Amino acid sequence: MKILLHTCCGPCTVGTLKELDRNVHEITAYWYNPNIHPYLEYSSRLDSLKKLAESINMPTIIEDDYGLKKFVKMVAEDISNRCGKCYEDRIYQTARKAKELGFEAFSTTLLVSPYQQHNRIKQMAERIAEEIGIPFYYVDPRPHFREGNNEAREKGLYMQKYCGCVFSEEDRYRKYRKAS
Ligand code: SF4
C-alpha cells in the first residue's frame, strides 16, 4: 500500500518502521510539525529526519515552515489543553496532503510514543480519514519505541529531550530542575 507517513522526528520514525514494514508498503515520510520550537530544535529534528531518510533511501516530502506563530495562535485560548489542537492540525494536514498526492492511506509516527495520547490520536485520525475521504492506516508500534530509540542513537541521530512546543520544553526542564 502507498502510505504517506507523518513523521515527527528521526527516532520515532525508526521505531515506527519496525511495525510499518517498508518491504510490504511503499512509505513516504511527511514532515509537517509547526509544534517544534525553538528554531534550533526544529532544525535539529528536521536534519535528523533527512539524515535517516538518506541513509535508508526513503522518499520524503518536507513542509519546511517553522510554525511558532501559527502554533501559538492555534493554542493560545487553551494552552493547558493544547495537545488536541496540535495532533489535529498535523493529522488534518497529512490526510489532505495524502489525498492531494494520490496516496492510498496515511499514518503517523505519533503512534509509536508511549508519551503521546495513543487512543486519542487513533480516534482523531479515523474521524479525519472519514471526513477527508482517505483511509487511515493504523498500527501500534509502541513495543518498538525503546528499540527504535536505541537504534537511532547508534545511527547518530539527534535525540530530543521534550515533546516539541515551548510549553513542553518548560514542563520538561522545570521537572528536571526540581528533581536536581
Ligand atoms: S506537548 Fe507535544 S503534543 Fe502537546 S502541544 Fe506540545 S508539541 Fe504538541
Side-chain angles (χ1 to χ4, degrees):
M1 189 179 260
K2 212 176 146 197
I3 298 173
L4 187 65
L5 175 66
H6 166 258
T7 59
C8 60
C9 63
C12 286
T13 306
V14 175
T16 301
L17 291 179
K18 294 193 176 298
E19 188 67 32
L20 206 51
D21 192 346
R22 290 181 70 220
N23 294 315
V24 178
H25 301 289
E26 205 182 308
I27 309 285
T28 297
Y30 181 51
W31 173 269
Y32 171 72
N33 296 297
N35 60 309
I36 300 172
H37 326 127
Y39 185 71
L40 282 180
E41 180 73 21
Y42 172 88
S43 305
S44 300
R45 294 193 201 187
L46 174 53
D47 289 348
S48 157
L49 173 69
K50 286 180 180 168
K51 183 176 170 180
L52 171 71
E54 211 179 293
S55 73
I56 60 174
N57 202 19
M58 176 172 62
T60 53
I61 299 172
I62 291 170
E63 308 281 0
D64 189 3
D65 184 14
Y66 176 60
L68 177 60
K69 289 178 195 154
K70 175 192 171 181
F71 178 86
V72 169
K73 276 185 201 156
M74 189 170 72
V75 302
E77 280 180 15
D78 194 3
I79 287 171
S80 49
N81 289 315
R82 62 192 180 270
C83 299
K85 292 251 186 234
C86 174
Y87 295 148
E88 194 170 54
D89 177 51
R90 290 186 283 167
I91 294 169
Y92 257 120
Q93 175 66 24
T94 307
R96 277 193 296 256
K97 183 59 84 173
K99 173 109 176 170
E100 178 194 324
L101 298 180
F103 283 84
E104 292 169 273
F106 72 93
S107 195
T108 173
T109 59
L110 293 171
L111 294 166
V112 77
S113 171
Y115 302 111
Q116 301 293 348
Q117 300 170 42
H118 189 93
N119 290 339
R120 190 176 185 187
I121 292 165
K122 177 176 183 277
Q123 283 163 14
M124 196 179 270
E126 285 166 352
R127 171 175 58 77
I128 290 171
E130 218 173 293
E131 199 180 309
I132 303 287
I134 179 160
F136 164 55
Y137 196 89
Y138 173 69
V139 282
D140 185 0
R142 285 175 294 181
H144 306 292
F145 180 71
R146 298 279 162 222
E147 189 192 351
N149 271 9
N150 290 340
E151 203 175 303
R153 218 169 271 118
E154 281 163 21
K155 284 176 184 287
L157 299 182
Y158 175 72
M159 308 297 293
Q160 63 266 26
K161 307 275 187 301
Y162 57 95
C163 187
C165 63
V166 284
F167 308 108
S168 64
E169 191 257 10
E170 180 186 349
D171 290 347
R172 168 70 176 79
Y173 289 109
R174 263 189 198 283
K175 273 182 208 147
Y176 179 76
R177 221 173 127 206
K178 275 181 198 155
S180 61

